[in-house]
Amino acid sequence: MDRLAVDGWRVAGERRSLRLATRADLPEIERVMRAAMAALSAGFYSERLAASAVRYIAVPDGQLIDDGTYFVIEDGSPANRQLPTANRQTIIACGGF
């Protein structure tokens, strides 16, 4: 590992990084949570229950972000270099405690 710190972590040669989430990440966190909930509930729940879970359960908790206990993993792949600066790092995973 190159470094391990609260402000970020990166494995040598990898384009992914771990960092604390910020309130500005909320739209992307919600996108990831809803996509994960939809994918993981398929085949286990009816379409109606899965849609309800996506709507009511896959909701980010801003308090975890404020507490500094919520993290995101970003992917900075070369394909993202074509995007506007603000979107070059794509959140691909998130979680907190």
Side-chain angles (χ1 to χ4, degrees):
M1 286 183 277
D2 288 339
R3 66 183 193 178
L4 179 59
V6 173
D7 67 335
W9 167 82
R10 187 178 302 274
V11 175
E14 287 289 324
R15 293 186 175 99
R16 294 182 182 94
S17 59
L18 171 72
R19 65 169 175 80
L20 284 171
T22 67
R23 286 241 171 210
D25 296 320
L26 282 170
E28 276 296 293
I29 290 170
E30 185 170 350
R31 179 192 61 78
V32 169
M33 289 178 71
R34 289 179 185 269
M37 180 66 71
L40 294 171
S41 63
F44 292 100
Y45 300 105
S46 68
E47 286 184 33
R48 188 175 133 264
L49 287 175
S52 180
V54 167
R55 182 173 179 186
Y56 296 108
I57 297 173
V59 179
D61 184 347
Q63 187 62 51
L64 294 175
I65 292 172
D66 294 343
D67 291 344
T69 59
Y70 204 84
F71 296 84
V72 295
I73 296 176
E74 296 178 307
D75 180 8
S77 295
N80 291 347
R81 292 187 189 135
Q82 309 302 323
L83 299 171
T85 303
N87 299 328
R88 287 188 183 159
Q89 293 287 102
T90 302
I91 293 174
I92 58 171
C94 53
F97 53 94

